[in-house]
Amino acid sequence: MKIKTSPSLLAADFLHLADEVKKAENAGADMLHCDVMDGVYVPNISFGFDIISKINRITDLPLDVHMMTCCPEKYLDVLKSSGADIITVHSDYTDKDTVIDTLKRIREIGIKPAVSLKPGRPAEDAFDFVPYVDMILVMTVEPGFGGQKFMADMLPKIKTLREYLDIHNPECEIQVDGGISKDTIGVCAEAGANVFVVGTASFRADDMGKALSDMVEIAKAEYYK
Ligand code: DX5
Ligand code: ZN
């Protein structure tokens, strides 16, 4: 599995968003993480589809959209037309059957479906969704805000999921999101994550290119050992 970085735009300078997107491109990002928050599913509000669509017009980087909202199924068509390449919904936003229907619909419209587990949800919560997803996102902070402290107690969950995926859906990737930096990326890669959302430690670094390449090197050394 390839090691990939997904800089989170939540940590970007919103007054210079176009420059920030170019900065991520030049820094060698593999995709761009777009956190959509509605103030209901999480206690914060971020940005919406119009911004995502404008970002899509100025970059060829895949857009990795993390939906922290109620009823994400309402927004799939507008996300498609806004240029989303991956849509992640949370495992607990509603009942299991509705989440599965949403994941199936995401695939039908030509977007990669992913499901996310909040810190309080066990690995087993994701098992029923495994046939329908290309990626599982393990939150390593409570969703809602950037710049929080990495939760090391999520590492066994990543390991359990990687072992389960190796049997049931080996192509499925594991993404981690929250507090990822040079200090924490190695243990996540060692546990089996290969896609890394990086907010503060990328956009707020003095040299984003160096920050990302250093992190990728650390992750590769642990993931492939
Ligand atoms: C938090 C968001 C994250 C956030 C990560 O709810 O899902 O994507 O931007 O930011 P850092 O890397 O600063 O923890
Ligand atoms: Zn996120």
Side-chain angles (χ1 to χ4, degrees):
M1 213 79 85
K2 189 178 180 286
I3 300 294
K4 300 174 190 168
T5 60
S6 189
S8 171
L9 286 168
L10 205 59
D13 178 353
F14 285 178
L15 291 178
H16 302 97
L17 205 43
D19 295 341
E20 295 285 76
V21 169
K22 291 294 156 193
K23 189 165 96 176
E25 272 182 9
N26 295 333
D30 295 285
M31 56 185 101
L32 279 178
H33 188 78
C34 305
D35 287 300
V36 180
M37 304 179 186
D38 67 352
V40 179
Y41 182 74
V42 288
N44 195 8
I45 295 179
S46 58
F47 52 81
F49 314 117
D50 197 31
I51 300 281
I52 293 174
S53 148
K54 291 205 163 68
I55 291 166
N56 186 47
R57 279 194 227 152
I58 60 160
T59 187
D60 291 329
L61 286 178
L63 300 183
D64 163 34
V65 179
H66 180 189
M67 291 296 285
M68 285 165 279
T69 70
C70 298
C71 311
E73 69 273 13
K74 279 195 205 163
Y75 308 113
L76 302 183
D77 291 328
V78 65
L79 280 169
K80 174 75 184 173
S81 59
S82 304
D85 295 282
I86 300 169
I87 298 177
T88 302
V89 299
H90 273 263
S91 68
D92 62 349
Y93 87 83
T94 181
D95 62 277
K96 212 162 243 185
D97 288 342
T98 309
V99 176
I100 289 174
D101 285 346
T102 301
L103 294 168
K104 285 181 177 169
R105 176 84 189 123
I106 294 170
R107 196 178 296 291
E108 271 167 24
I109 62 174
I111 297 178
K112 288 176 188 285
V115 72
S116 175
L117 298 178
K118 277 182 176 174
R121 308 309 313 176
E124 292 69 25
D125 265 28
F127 290 178
D128 286 342
F129 305 122
V130 162
Y132 309 103
V133 294
D134 291 341
M135 187 170 81
I136 295 178
L137 165 56
V138 176
M139 289 303 302
T140 43
V141 297
E142 285 299 338
F145 299 90
Q148 301 183 78
K149 191 174 176 295
F150 174 77
M151 298 169 73
D153 49 344
M154 296 299 112
L155 294 169
K157 192 195 298 192
I158 300 170
K159 199 160 177 290
T160 303
L161 282 168
R162 189 64 265 164
E163 285 166 3
Y164 186 89
L165 289 172
D166 285 345
I167 298 165
H168 296 96
N169 185 354
E171 300 299 308
C172 184
E173 301 187 290
I174 297 182
Q175 182 178 56
V176 283
D177 182 5
I180 303 301
S181 70
K182 273 194 254 185
D183 298 330
T184 57
I185 196 165
V187 284
C188 293
E190 186 186 25
N194 70 296
V195 186
F196 301 93
V197 177
V198 190
T200 308
S202 63
F203 282 106
R204 308 276 168 97
D206 292 336
D207 180 342
M208 186 168 174
K210 183 170 178 350
L212 288 186
S213 64
D214 286 353
M215 281 187 264
V216 167
E217 286 317 307
I218 296 168
K220 279 185 180 165
E222 295 299 329
Y223 191 82
Y224 300 121
K225 87 177 172 196

